[in-house]
Structure formats: structure tokens, C-alpha cells
Amino acid sequence: MSSTAEDQSLGVMSRNAYRRWAEAQPRGRFERIDGQVVAMAPERASHADRKALAWLALRRAVAEANLPCHVYPDGMTIEAGEDGDYEPDAVVHCGGKLPGDAVVVPAPLIVVEVLSPSTRANDLTRKLVGYFQVPSIRHYLIFDADRPRVIHYRRRNGSQEFDTRILTAGEIRFDPPGMVITVEDVYAT
């Protein structure tokens, strides 16, 4: 179950204070949502499978399209506005591989979250708003952990408007950068 800064008596943190605090933690994964630290719960097997298959499908699609992009698994940070530091389950960055010591993905193009009981509300609301504060993000995918269902938010031509599609099968197209995965790729058994 996730817990907020109130549960941990941390209060609202700036990005720099949060980074210093997070680096000092002996274990666990955290995000900062609306300035509040949120601890991420241990993952269920279905969640781990889904995020691994999403990462793999995106990586294959980048390779097949011969794109100058890199797909990172969870653990990399997306800075969303002043009050958000999110760790999506996968992220696509185009324009070259990041330095080995990077912890932040600048100019992410595609972000992926897999729903879990403890993160569902944030992924569908606060993080949706936060991700689309990042001008480079064109696609936000939310995968259900337990059944084939994907919500694909796609930004319209660099505006703050986006289209929403809910898919249970078939192709998910990403333009830009010009690649395709399928729902079946991520829900393979």
C-alpha cells in the first residue's frame, strides 16, 4: 500500500530535498506527487510481468522501426512540473542514450504505468495531469495488471489537448516517433 509524506512525517518537499532524501534511503522506491513523498508498495507478479512485457514490446518496436530512441525500465525519473518526480514502469526517450549516471529522463516521449491497487488513483488522475505538463510527452499508456485493457492518452500536435483510446486488443500506434506495439505483446502468456 502506498503511504504519503503525512504518514512518514516528511511534509511537502522540494525536488532537491526529495532527491537527497531518496538517495539516503536504504531500500524501497518512492515518488513525489504534488510535493508529497509516496512510497511504492511491493509489486505483485502480474504487475511485474506486465511492465516487463511492456518494456520489451517498446524495445522491439524501437529496434524494428530503426529509431534513435532508448527504452528505460522503471527506476528512471520524470520531472513533472515543480511538484512531481515520477518513476514510470517504462519510458521511451528519443535522441540518444543518456549518460550512465543519469537518474532523470529529459524530454521523454512515451511513458508507461501499470495499475496496481495502491497506485490506481494517482496513475489515473494526478499523474495523468502531471505527465501532460511535460511538453515532450506525446503518449501515456496505462496497462491493467490483470486483464488485457490499455488506456492510451495521446497528445494532439503539441497542445494540452489529448485523445483517449481504451483497447483490449490490436495495435497501439505511436506517431511520433513512428512505431507500433500490440496489446497482445504485453498480455502474452
Side-chain angles (χ1 to χ4, degrees), residues 58-139:
L58 290 167
R59 187 167 179 181
R60 284 181 182 153
V62 164
E64 288 170 5
N66 198 28
L67 295 168
C69 303
H70 193 77
V71 184
Y72 294 95
D74 67 343
M76 299 296 291
T77 299
I78 304 297
E79 294 177 342
E82 291 298 315
D83 295 322
D85 293 285
Y86 307 153
E87 287 192 18
D89 290 313
V91 60
V92 176
H93 166 76
C94 296
K97 195 172 183 178
L98 299 177
D101 62 348
V103 295
V104 173
V105 178
L109 187 64
I110 302 168
V111 291
V112 172
E113 294 284 0
V114 176
L115 291 178
S116 65
S118 65
T119 66
R120 178 177 299 276
N122 283 332
D123 291 344
L124 292 168
T125 57
R126 294 160 65 186
K127 288 171 76 174
L128 169 65
V129 171
Y131 279 133
F132 280 105
Q133 288 178 355
V134 180
S136 64
I137 293 178
R138 295 295 299 266
H139 306 274

Side-chain angles (χ1 to χ4, degrees), residues 4-11:
T4 63
E6 291 89 11
D7 299 326
Q8 300 172 10
S9 301
L10 296 174

